[in-house]
Amino acid sequence: MALPKAHRLKSRHDFQAVFREGIRRHSSHFTLRALKPAVATEPSLDTASPTANYASTKIGISISTKVSKRAVVRNLIKRRITAAFYQLLPKLAPGWRLVVIVKPTAAESKCGSQQFLQELEQLLAQAEVLNGHS
């Protein structure tokens, strides 16, 4: 299950913006960097983009070779995180830009997708990215 293209953070510029300005939340296996959507303080005269404030949340995953030298292991972890986010997409508030940084402990512990899901949900709630901040 891949994330829909509308929800993928792709460009280097976007990743750098999240790292530079985003808030940080930590757990045992991940660090979440989250950049809040820009809220227009005054009514904009630009009528071409009335849905600019309601853009879809974009998600990026950063996993270095420090986590594991083997690409197979890194890709497995990425797929598990992607599957967890796929389940969480309906709960996410619109407009956020998120980067999940995987810590080396994720490869060492043999935790499954369910634990990743719980941990990511907890991080997203701490960062107030989830609708209702459950």
Side-chain angles (χ1 to χ4, degrees):
M1 277 186 279
L3 284 172
K5 281 190 177 182
H7 291 285
R8 291 186 209 157
L9 194 66
K10 291 180 232 151
S11 75
R12 179 179 178 84
H13 180 264
D14 282 343
F15 271 90
Q16 285 176 334
V18 175
F19 279 108
R20 198 172 46 248
E21 303 160 29
I23 58 172
R24 292 181 200 96
R25 296 292 179 265
H26 304 280
S27 72
S28 57
H29 297 107
F30 309 115
T31 299
L32 175 74
R33 300 295 294 256
L35 185 60
K36 262 188 178 166
V39 180
T41 52
E42 55 188 64
S44 104
L45 301 172
D46 182 21
T47 55
S49 61
T51 59
N53 294 340
Y54 301 106
S56 60
T57 294
K58 297 196 180 288
I59 301 161
I61 300 169
S62 173
I63 181 166
S64 76
T65 51
K66 288 180 187 175
V67 174
S68 174
K69 297 284 184 226
R70 298 176 56 212
V72 174
V73 175
R74 293 194 309 272
N75 289 336
L76 175 68
I77 293 169
K78 259 201 230 180
R79 283 194 303 274
R80 286 183 176 160
I81 294 168
T82 303
F85 268 116
Y86 196 80
Q87 292 178 334
L88 291 170
L89 275 179
K91 298 179 184 178
L92 296 178
W96 284 81
R97 285 186 278 172
L98 309 171
V99 176
V100 176
I101 300 125
V102 182
K103 294 181 180 178
T105 54
E108 293 161 12
S109 66
K110 302 290 182 209
C111 58
S113 300
Q114 198 57 38
Q115 187 174 346
F116 279 0
L117 176 67
Q118 288 172 346
E119 210 167 305
L120 286 170
E121 197 166 9
Q122 207 171 16
L123 284 172
L124 292 167
Q126 286 173 15
E128 298 180 0
V129 177
L130 291 178
N131 281 327
H133 318 305
S134 52

